[in-house]
Amino acid sequence: MATEQIAKRELAKAYDPKEVEDKWYRLWKERGYFHEEPDPDREPYCITIPPPNITGSLHMGHALNNTILDAMTRWHRMRGYCTLCLPGTDHAGIATQAVVEKELAREGLTRQELGRERFVERCWQWREQYGTRIYHQFERLGCSYDWERVRFTMDPSYVDAIMEEFRSWYERGLIYRGTRVVNWDVRYQSAVSDIEVITETRPGKLYHFRYPFADDSGHITIATTRPETMLGDTAVAANPNDERYKPLFGKMLRLPLTERRIPLIADNYAKPEFGSGAVKVTPAHDLDDFECGLRHNLPQVVVIGKDGKMTEAAGPRYAGLDRFEARKRIIEDMEALGLLEKIEDYGIQTPISDRSGEIIEPLLSEQWFVDVKPLAAPAIEAVKQDKIRILPERYKAIYLHWMENIRPWCISRQLWWGHRIPIWWTEEGGARRHAFARSREEAVAALGTENVWQDEDVLDTWFSSALWPHATLGWPRQTRDLEYFYPTNLLSTAQEILYLWVARMIMTGLDFIKRPAATTSENDGLLEPDGKTRAIIPFRDVYIHATVLDEHGQRMSKSKGNGIDPIDLIDRYGADATRFSLMQQAGKNQDIKYSEQRTDVAGNFCNKLWNASRFVLMNLDETVTGQLPPEGARTVTDRWILSRLNETIQTVNERLMSYDMDDATRALYQFLWNDFCDWYVEMAKPRLRAEGAERETVQNMLAFVLETTLRLLHPITPFITEEIWQALPHEGESILFAPYPQPNPAWNDPEAEAAMAATIETTRALRNLRAELGIAPSTRLSAAVLAAEPDLRAALTANADLIATLARLNALDLVEQAPSGQTGKWVGTPITGGEVFLEIGEALDLGKELERIEKELAAVAKEIERAETKLQNPNFVQRAKPEIVALERERLAEWQEKRARLEERWRLFGG
RNA sequence: GGGCGAAUAGCUCAGCCGGUAGAGCGCUUCGUUUACACCGAAGAUGUCGGGGGUUCGAGUCCCUCUUCGCCCACCA
């Protein structure tokens, strides 16, 4: 196949991304290019991709991230690393349960009607059917992931890892059962963790209620945004230093609408400056109140149930009402009792469940928690010591701050889809006991009775994804993959899951993966207190990519309908263009306003590459090897393009290394379009018309530079580069494994760069003259260059013919002195170190030419004035760095010379 | 309430260690020159958000204000 391509040495006339991309992806995959076995003779490079939810389909954030991941993978593969990029998916507890429940609802069913077992079966069916759709989308994007190593967070081997994690933490007492106020999602009827709650300021009301003293000696006013919780109040608190309440502490109040008597207590939690200074305390429905309640031994009265409806404890008048219905009735009732003092408009900080969008109900309930403090300590150290690098650097501080203030992690979820908590219970004589067990048998053995049942809850999805890097590589088994590929190299992800996921992977990695210090390097992790083992980091670099927003800077969301579908972009512009445009915008920025115009531009770039390649290919003889011609054969332009290429190679490698993909992409764009196409290819044209050595040299140069550029571009635009590379003379079976270009100091050539700069300036000056005089490009003229400076003369000697061709002239002569006495035939304009002239025949309008010269003179005068002012400032001359002063003097001299030449022409034309 | 980021041409964005403000798109004028009109050539376009400060010199460093965005936070 590949050999047929080589023999053809041509490309289709029009670039069709779809055809090229489908063909190559199939081939790469068939040939197993993405799969590598551990190779001890090479360095490993490994990425375990952030597993998308099985409910997910590719969005722009995925497209950006996976382009970055694949580009990094391809770059390292080409650099000779033994490379693994491991894909997978996440079972996504709440999200999946939600879609399956929705599906059931269409059939008129609820999960309760179906029963747990059958519901979980339905979830599995769903995942079989739709759970891997996104893999195909990754393929469309060109991701070179190892499809032989895909992992799912509910694979049996992955479950082993979760069991091991749970067992270890449970046995060490890090997992505990606790009764606390948790964030309750009323829609899904499950607890969610703090970081799955988003706070929104919503317009609302602040209600001021009066609570009378039990002895009818007056009342205390309290304020609340959630009146329905008052039914669960078990105290009113005021600040111990609040003079207004000091004499009253200990007195009892009558809680309106109930028969309850509650005390006025003193607690620092009450802020004297807020409202009346007194605050109602509802230990069962507010985290602060809960803690306050613990301090004062207050009863906890649950008045809102898990379904969001009022409980029996709320009293017969309210029980069974929805929480917001109850709120209305309570306000009415309080008003009727004359206990509603006032209602104010108020912006309420409202907790919203990230998943369901429901208002979170803080609720007292029994849950499983992980005490993460001891796990956080090493995770802080590893980042502080830069064993793990977090980029852009600003996220390091954010991470550290969060980790240092980390709170217990609620890991139980009242869902059915997920990993059921491996805890078994038994009850004897009213006393309950529990033990860790992977199965009923283990449970019976552990608890010593047949009367056992498993905990009903499942684990937080992040409890499983926290193990991703090592569990996907085989842990808890000591596999070859784990040994070789761990620690992984890069974790690139969105900023919103820095805490949810990244922090937790760092904690589990360091906690579970330990290796003998002697066999590891200092960079691999943290030395344990015993001095003999090392806790190993999960990855070396964390890169936080930008958020992709729409072109108006709005977050893309389904409800707003402003999302861009990357697959749609790929269909219309090609995966290469989509990837290129994403990489062009992927740097250290916080967000990307994505406009389709960027993809369009990237598509044009691919097209340009395609056509330039067609040109090169159609000008190659069969004998061309694509080897770099020997130094002696290279012309100034050849040396120049090599020098430019070398700089590009250096920039691209450096910038990829620091995750400045935007800079790398820009450098490639500019090199290919401006240096290679605009100048080198144009200058190659006349040389290709020559015969023999001259033609052969330029053919080989074109092939060599283009082939190198393709390799440089391949991580960003994999498909088009493979297609063209196969048609060019090349070594190897696929560009995937071709060596990535490395800088070669020998190609660095300031002399050639200077000569080309002069050539370009001269060409432009001539074109500009022509355009300003309105001479049709088809009119052939003669021109002359007066090279007053030896440098300019040297630079131009070799390129005069090329300049003539590029400026579309009959001939360009290098002359000793300005053509004079021929007013009306010659026009001229100064350039650096000399002057260019165009012989335009008799048609010149003298008045117009004078005007043109005067315009130029005015511009030059401005520059001279600026430089002179600067140089006349004694402070500048004395204090600025000498080389800066010298440079300024040089510039002034240059401008003065230009002025002299212009003035001379002005006089010549009768000014 | 804390923290972070952004503000540069009409639009989207580059500008590293302070030393003559750049690109792409759009715009104007030309153009079928044997790769490309998804192109080429020539052009026009800026109080670098405001105000202070440091400096011979500030888009770049410091302070401050304004606007927008993000993250964190238990204020009823």
Side-chain angles (χ1 to χ4, degrees):
Chain A
M1 179 83 199
T3 43
E4 284 167 38
Q5 303 259 342
I6 295 166
K8 269 208 300 193
R9 280 204 181 175
E10 64 180 43
L11 296 171
K13 182 151 187 216
Y15 165 50
D16 175 10
K18 195 161 180 59
E19 194 241 327
V20 169
E21 292 173 4
D22 290 349
K23 175 180 75 183
W24 283 112
Y25 200 88
R26 219 180 41 246
L27 260 153
W28 291 335
K29 202 177 164 184
E30 271 169 26
R31 294 183 188 171
Y33 285 169
F34 309 150
H35 179 82
E36 291 200 70
E37 288 297 325
D39 176 356
D41 295 334
R42 286 187 296 155
E43 283 276 305
Y45 185 83
C46 179
I47 296 171
T48 58
I49 74 158
N53 291 351
I54 51 176
T55 55
S57 62
L58 198 72
H59 57 59
M60 286 303 279
H62 289 134
L64 171 63
N65 196 226
N66 287 281
T67 297
I68 294 167
L69 294 175
D70 187 57
M72 287 295 157
T73 301
R74 286 177 185 269
W75 180 45
H76 282 88
R77 189 182 288 125
M78 291 175 79
R79 289 168 73 208
Y81 287 75
C82 179
T83 304
L84 165 62
C85 194
L86 186 151
T89 46
D90 192 304
H91 67 281
I94 293 186
T96 307
Q97 179 152 333
V99 281
V100 174
E101 280 193 67
K102 222 186 221 169
E103 212 178 58
L104 284 177
R106 278 198 292 271
E107 300 163 24
L109 278 169
T110 65
R111 77 178 148 106
Q112 285 79 7
E113 284 163 6
L114 205 63
R116 183 165 189 155
E117 208 170 309
R118 286 183 58 203
F119 179 77
V120 170
E121 258 169 48
R122 280 291 293 255
C123 292
W124 275 105
Q125 276 172 23
W126 197 92
R127 115 100 196 175
E128 292 309 319
Q129 216 171 337
Y130 308 110
T132 53
R133 279 179 305 183
I134 202 164
Y135 290 156
H136 180 65
Q137 299 178 311
F138 286 149
E139 295 190 348
R140 288 293 309 278
L141 193 60
C143 298
S144 57
Y145 297 163
D146 187 346
W147 301 112
E148 294 171 45
R149 282 193 177 92
V150 280
R151 291 288 185 273
F152 175 50
T153 49
M154 286 175 84
D155 287 343
S157 64
Y158 203 100
V159 172
D160 289 346
I162 295 162
M163 292 300 120
E164 182 54 22
E165 174 189 25
F166 198 99
R167 185 200 60 78
S168 170
W169 286 354
Y170 179 79
E171 286 176 2
R172 284 189 274 160
L174 294 174
I175 290 182
Y176 61 91
R177 188 87 171 144
T179 302
R180 288 184 43 137
V181 170
V182 295
N183 304 296
W184 189 261
D185 184 319
V186 175
R187 164 100 63 91
Y188 292 120
Q189 305 225 0
S190 173
V192 294
S193 76
D194 294 342
I195 23 191
E196 290 164 305
V197 174
I198 42 179
T199 313
E200 255 180 47
T201 305
R202 293 192 172 178
K205 311 272 186 207
L206 186 62
Y207 303 90
H208 296 257
F209 289 158
R210 289 178 176 158
Y211 286 8
F213 282 108
D215 58 6
D216 289 322
S217 58
H219 66 263
I220 284 181
T221 300
I222 54 90
T224 180
T225 54
R226 295 190 296 149
E228 67 279 10
T229 61
M230 69 165 285
L231 300 172
D233 287 358
T234 51
V236 170
N239 195 283
N241 300 318
D242 194 327
E243 296 298 335
R244 292 169 294 180
Y245 297 101
K246 264 190 180 171
L248 303 171
F249 288 129
K251 284 189 76 166
M252 295 305 278
L253 295 148
R254 242 184 13 240
L255 183 64
L257 312 178
T258 69
E259 296 304 313
R260 199 175 308 139
R261 307 217 156 188
I262 59 176
L264 176 67
I265 59 172
D267 196 291
N268 278 324
Y269 151 55
K271 303 276 178 290
E273 63 280 6
F274 190 94
S276 66
V279 57
K280 65 196 266 308
V281 182
T282 325
H285 295 286
D286 184 283
L287 185 60
D288 298 313
D289 292 11
F290 171 74
E291 278 160 7
C292 175
L294 289 183
R295 287 193 289 273
H296 298 273
N297 263 318
L298 299 173
Q300 299 157 340
V301 181
V302 177
V303 291
I304 304 168
K306 295 185 170 174
D307 51 1
K309 295 195 167 118
M310 306 308 287
T311 62
E312 295 293 321
R317 188 168 158 71
Y318 308 103
L321 282 183
D322 174 81
R323 53 188 166 150
F324 298 116
E325 288 298 314
R327 176 178 300 182
K328 271 191 219 153
R329 184 171 293 185
I330 285 166
I331 297 160
E332 286 164 17
D333 293 349
M334 288 296 277
E335 188 164 26
L337 288 171
L339 296 176
L340 175 61
E341 190 170 293
K342 61 175 171 177
I343 303 177
E344 285 177 285
D345 286 327
Y346 198 72
I348 304 176
Q349 302 283 304
T350 315
I352 314 282
S353 168
D354 201 16
R355 278 279 162 231
S356 68
E358 274 302 306
I359 295 179
I360 286 291
E361 199 57 54
L363 190 72
L364 187 71
S365 70
E366 235 193 329
Q367 303 283 349
W368 291 101
F369 293 89
V370 179
D371 176 15
V372 272
K373 272 241 183 281
L375 300 170
I380 290 167
E381 261 324 283
V383 169
K384 266 194 183 158
Q385 294 181 20
D386 284 328
K387 309 283 185 207
I388 298 173
R389 236 172 18 136
I390 297 185
L391 296 162
E393 224 162 332
R394 59 178 181 272
Y395 290 109
K396 179 176 173 179
I398 296 175
Y399 165 90
L400 289 174
H401 179 257
W402 189 79
M403 288 297 269
E404 277 157 6
N405 296 290
I406 199 161
R407 297 195 292 175
W409 173 16
C410 172
I411 52 166
S412 43
R413 296 288 180 276
Q414 289 64 48
L415 304 171
W416 286 353
W417 174 244
H419 304 97
R420 194 149 171 189
I421 292 182
I423 287 289
W424 292 71
W425 295 86
T426 186
E427 189 173 355
E428 289 153 48
R432 298 172 89 189
R433 288 185 295 129
H434 57 76
F436 166 84
R438 294 176 180 83
S439 62
R440 189 179 171 84
E441 294 71 51
E442 277 189 30
V444 167
L447 291 164
T449 166
E450 288 286 331
N451 177 28
V452 295
W453 66 91
Q454 188 172 5
D455 198 289
E456 291 293 320
D457 292 351
V458 300
L459 288 161
D460 178 12
T461 300
W462 301 103
F463 191 84
S464 47
S465 38
L467 304 172
W468 191 249
H470 51 278
T472 51
L473 292 172
W475 186 82
R477 287 178 302 132
Q478 286 305 314
T479 59
R480 244 171 88 220
D481 280 358
L482 182 63
E483 210 164 295
Y484 184 76
F485 287 115
Y486 192 94
T488 69
N489 296 77
L490 170 64
L491 187 280
S492 169
T493 191
Q495 51 177 310
E496 64 257 29
I497 53 178
L498 182 59
Y499 311 126
L500 278 169
W501 191 44
V502 180
R504 286 162 180 173
M505 284 190 286
I506 298 176
M507 289 191 281
T508 66
L510 290 166
D511 192 49
F512 292 123
I513 309 296
K514 314 272 173 161
R515 288 176 181 168
T519 66
T520 54
S521 113
E522 217 176 285
N523 297 327
D524 292 344
L526 300 167
L527 208 55
E528 297 280 274
D530 67 6
K532 289 177 189 156
T533 30
R534 206 185 298 278
I536 310 297
I537 53 173
F539 28 70
R540 301 185 190 280
D541 289 350
V542 173
Y543 172 77
I544 306 288
H545 70 245
T547 309
V548 186
L549 308 171
D550 75 2
E551 56 188 325
H552 307 293
Q554 298 281 310
R555 240 190 155 70
M556 291 186 188
S557 73
K558 274 186 203 152
S559 52
K560 276 188 228 152
N562 62 342
I564 297 171
D565 178 3
I567 295 298
D568 176 54
L569 289 179
I570 293 171
D571 284 341
R572 285 159 46 225
Y573 298 96
D576 285 328
T578 304
R579 291 169 61 119
F580 192 90
S581 75
L582 287 166
M583 289 295 265
Q584 230 179 349
Q585 298 173 85
K588 301 210 186 303
N589 44 343
Q590 183 177 280
D591 40 41
I592 293 172
K593 274 193 249 176
Y594 198 91
S595 127
E596 203 171 303
Q597 190 203 299
R598 306 287 297 234
T599 329
D600 199 41
V601 167
N604 292 350
F605 175 78
C606 291
N607 196 255
K608 186 79 176 171
L609 172 62
W610 184 266
N611 282 302
S613 304
R614 274 182 60 224
F615 172 81
V616 170
L617 283 163
M618 65 180 61
N619 282 289
L620 293 190
D621 298 330
E622 284 302 318
T623 51
V624 172
T625 59
Q627 296 295 309
L628 183 61
E631 239 174 286
R634 296 175 212 161
T635 64
V636 178
T637 29
D638 296 338
R639 285 161 49 204
W640 169 75
I641 198 69
L642 279 179
S643 189
R644 301 301 309 144
L645 176 63
N646 187 51
E647 197 188 304
T648 309
I649 291 171
Q650 184 155 352
T651 305
V652 170
N653 276 289
E654 271 173 21
R655 298 310 162 109
L656 288 179
M657 192 70 82
S658 57
Y659 301 101
D660 295 303
M661 285 74 64
D662 50 346
D663 290 340
T665 310
R666 209 183 344 270
L668 283 162
Y669 184 97
Q670 280 169 0
F671 173 74
L672 184 89
W673 204 306
N674 304 128
D675 294 334
F676 188 69
C677 291
D678 288 352
W679 292 100
Y680 191 76
V681 166
E682 291 309 316
M683 296 182 86
K685 283 175 182 173
R687 298 171 64 195
L688 283 167
R689 275 178 234 125
E691 303 216 334
E694 174 75 0
R695 177 171 157 89
E696 200 185 310
T697 299
V698 77
Q699 283 178 322
N700 277 306
M701 279 300 300
L702 284 166
F704 178 84
V705 173
L706 180 59
E707 193 270 345
T708 308
T709 310
L710 290 171
R711 281 185 282 132
L712 220 41
L713 268 167
H714 178 258
I716 301 169
T717 54
F719 296 107
I720 190 173
T721 47
E722 176 79 303
E723 175 77 6
I724 300 168
W725 190 79
Q726 293 289 349
L728 277 172
H730 65 270
E731 268 173 44
E733 192 175 84
S734 164
I735 194 170
L736 264 80
F737 302 103
Y740 202 73
Q742 292 303 312
N744 178 353
W747 293 350
N748 201 13
D749 197 333
E751 202 185 304
E753 298 249 8
M756 265 304 285
T759 301
I760 290 172
E761 191 190 358
T762 307
T763 308
R764 287 202 166 130
L766 286 164
R767 284 170 175 171
N768 173 282
L769 265 183
R770 202 190 246 289
E772 288 206 345
L773 294 166
I775 298 165
S778 51
T779 315
R780 296 207 153 247
L781 306 170
S782 291
V785 185
L786 166 67
E789 307 267 332
D791 286 353
L792 180 65
R793 170 162 284 274
L796 295 184
T797 309
N799 282 336
D801 287 347
L802 286 171
I803 294 170
T805 311
L806 293 173
R808 304 200 57 67
L809 305 168
N810 279 324
L812 176 74
D813 295 320
L814 294 180
V815 294
E816 295 296 327
Q817 60 183 88
S820 60
Q822 303 185 61
T823 319
K825 279 184 88 180
W826 290 88
V827 291
T829 195
I831 58 172
T832 309
E835 199 169 0
V836 296
F837 303 95
L838 211 49
E839 188 183 20
I840 52 110
E842 307 294 337
L844 186 67
D845 178 336
L846 283 184
K848 252 189 166 172
E849 177 60 8
L850 272 176
E851 239 174 71
R852 192 184 66 80
I853 295 171
E854 277 161 17
K855 221 174 87 190
E856 278 194 59
L857 266 170
V860 169
K862 236 173 154 180
E863 292 298 332
I864 289 175
E865 200 195 323
R866 192 197 50 79
E868 276 177 343
T869 316
K870 209 167 183 181
L871 284 163
Q872 275 158 15
N873 178 355
N875 278 326
F876 173 71
V877 180
Q878 280 161 30
R879 301 202 191 186
K881 277 176 275 180
E883 60 268 32
I884 297 294
V885 180
L887 193 69
E888 202 57 47
R889 290 218 166 93
E890 235 172 78
R891 278 183 195 144
L892 179 62
E894 242 166 56
W895 285 114
Q896 282 168 335
E897 200 203 314
K898 281 187 184 173
R899 179 167 65 182
R901 294 189 184 284
L902 280 166
E903 280 170 349
E904 202 186 316
R905 296 213 62 75
W906 189 71
R907 278 193 301 275
L908 200 61
F909 281 81

